[in-house]
Amino acid sequence: AETAAADLADKKPCVVLGSYGDAVSLVAGQIFNEEKIPAITITATNPLITENNEYYFRVTFTDASQGRAAAYFAYDYLKVEEAAVIRIQDEDTATELVSQFGKTFRRLTENDDGITATIDIPKDAKDFTEYIQELKQSGAKAVFAPISLKNAEKLFEAADKLGMTDVTFIGPKDWHTEELMRLQQEYPGIKIAAVSDFTSSMAEGTEASELYDDFLAAYEKEYGEGEPPEAAALAFDAYMIAVDAIENAGTVDGEAVKNALQQTAGFEGVSGEISFDDSGEPTKTINIDLIENNKFVSVYTVK
C-alpha cells in the first residue's frame, strides 16, 4: 500500500479514489496528506482514515453508524425491548459495531439489561448449534450479528434446525450481496435484515430515482447482471463526486480540489444524498433492507 500510494503521488493526480480496505487506506492516507493530494475511500469504514486527515474523504459510513442504525431498526421497526449480539471471538473489526449497537439500544429502551445475551463464538467453530441454543434461551427476538457471511451461513443453519423463525438476524452492510440472497432462499423461514449503503426502493419520479434507474440500466448493459453490489454504487458516487469537485474547483490543483470536496453538500448519488462534514465523513441516510421476492427492499431509514 505504501509503495502504491507513493507511485500515485509521483504521478501528481488531483484526486485518488480508494481504497476498499481499511488498513491500506490508513497507510496511504499518510502519504496523501503529506503530498496534499485528496482521496476518497469507497467502502473502508475505519474512522481513523478520515480523522486528523483533511485530505481523506469517505462515501460509505463508519462501523459506529452501522451499529447505531441496527439498534434503531431493532427498537423502532421491529418493536423489540430485548436484543442479543453474536460475534466471533477476537475479531476486532466487530468491536465498534457491537459497542455502538449495545450503547444505542440500551439508551433507546432505557434498560441497561436490554441486551440479554452477548455470545462469543470461537473462530474454529464448525457447528453453531450450542451457541444458538444459548441465544434461543435468552428470549431475544432481534439479534445483531456483525460476522462474515461464511459464518452467517452456519448461524442460519443452526437457527433453522432450532426452528427460530420468530427472530430477526441483523447483519452489517457486508451481508448486502447476492450470496445473502442465496442463503435466504436456502433458509426461507429465517428472518434476515442487512444494513445498506443505498436504498433499493427509490421514490418514483424523483431525481434520485431517475439517476438510480439510469445507473442500473448502464450496469446491466455493461455486465449483464441484475442489481449491482453496493461497492459498485459507492464507487460510482465517489467518481462523480470527484468529477464534480474538479469542475467546481476549475483546476486540477490538488489543494483546490480538496477545498471543493469539503464544500460538497446535497450531492445526489445512487447511494443517496451525500454531504461531507468537517472531517470528511458523509452525512447520509442509512437503510435497513429485507429480502422480498428475491429482491432487497429498503424498509427502514435512519437519518
Side-chain angles (χ1 to χ4, degrees), residues 51 109 145 222 243 302:
E51 195 172 289
T109 59
E222 181 70 21
V243 170
V302 181

Side-chain angles (χ1 to χ4, degrees), residues 150-216:
K150 182 178 179 180
N151 284 318
E153 183 167 10
K154 300 174 189 175
L155 170 66
F156 301 150
E157 180 182 12
D160 188 61
K161 285 180 181 177
L162 294 174
M164 295 177 64
T165 57
D166 57 345
V167 175
T168 300
F169 294 94
I170 310 166
K173 69 187 187 70
D174 295 345
W175 282 16
H176 202 284
T177 64
E178 290 295 321
E179 176 64 13
L180 184 66
M181 199 84 69
R182 180 190 70 78
L183 291 174
Q184 181 70 91
Q185 292 170 351
E186 187 171 348
Y187 303 103
I190 301 301
K191 297 177 181 177
I192 307 171
V195 179
S196 173
D197 257 301
F198 68 104
T199 177
S200 45
S201 54
M202 293 281 191
E204 293 185 6
T206 65
E207 183 178 345
S209 173
E210 292 174 8
L211 177 63
Y212 181 75
D213 291 342
D214 288 346
F215 173 72
L216 287 182

Side-chain angles (χ1 to χ4, degrees), residues 60-272:
T60 189
F61 39 72
T62 64
D63 291 338
S65 299
Q66 288 193 74
R68 288 192 292 268
Y72 271 98
F73 172 73
Y75 175 76
D76 194 36
Y77 182 84
L78 297 178
K79 307 296 183 184
V80 299
E81 293 287 335
E82 295 180 330
V85 171
I86 287 179
R87 60 190 180 189
I88 303 300
Q89 284 180 1
D90 302 320
E91 200 166 83
D92 293 339
T93 54
T95 300
E96 188 67 11
L97 288 158
V98 170
S99 172
Q100 290 298 326
F101 176 82
K103 186 185 300 183
T104 304
F105 191 78
R106 291 185 183 97
R107 176 174 59 79
L108 290 171
T109 59
E110 298 181 345
N111 180 7
D112 289 340
D113 298 320
I115 303 298
T116 59
T118 298
I119 300 170
D120 292 310
I121 300 178
K123 283 185 176 181
D124 58 354
K126 293 181 171 55
D127 187 342
F128 284 12
T129 303
E130 67 174 286
Y131 306 103
I132 305 309
Q133 183 67 53
E134 181 184 347
L135 173 66
K136 188 174 183 177
Q137 291 171 353
S138 76
K141 299 305 178 186
V143 180
F144 185 47
I147 60 179
S148 69
L149 270 177
K150 182 178 179 180
N151 284 318
E153 183 167 10
K154 300 174 189 175
L155 170 66
F156 301 150
E157 180 182 12
D160 188 61
K161 285 180 181 177
L162 294 174
M164 295 177 64
T165 57
D166 57 345
V167 175
T168 300
F169 294 94
I170 310 166
K173 69 187 187 70
D174 295 345
W175 282 16
H176 202 284
T177 64
E178 290 295 321
E179 176 64 13
L180 184 66
M181 199 84 69
R182 180 190 70 78
L183 291 174
Q184 181 70 91
Q185 292 170 351
E186 187 171 348
Y187 303 103
I190 301 301
K191 297 177 181 177
I192 307 171
V195 179
S196 173
D197 257 301
F198 68 104
T199 177
S200 45
S201 54
M202 293 281 191
E204 293 185 6
T206 65
E207 183 178 345
S209 173
E210 292 174 8
L211 177 63
Y212 181 75
D213 291 342
D214 288 346
F215 173 72
L216 287 182
Y219 185 88
E220 187 170 354
K221 181 180 179 182
E222 181 70 21
Y223 300 105
E225 299 178 9
E227 187 172 289
E230 289 201 351
L234 291 168
F236 175 84
D237 282 351
Y239 181 87
M240 296 309 298
I241 287 174
V243 170
D244 185 63
I246 293 168
E247 291 177 345
N248 289 334
T251 174
V252 290
D253 174 70
E255 184 73 16
V257 173
K258 182 264 292 182
N259 292 336
L261 283 169
Q262 289 177 329
Q263 299 302 313
T264 297
F267 183 89
E268 290 287 355
V270 296
S271 67

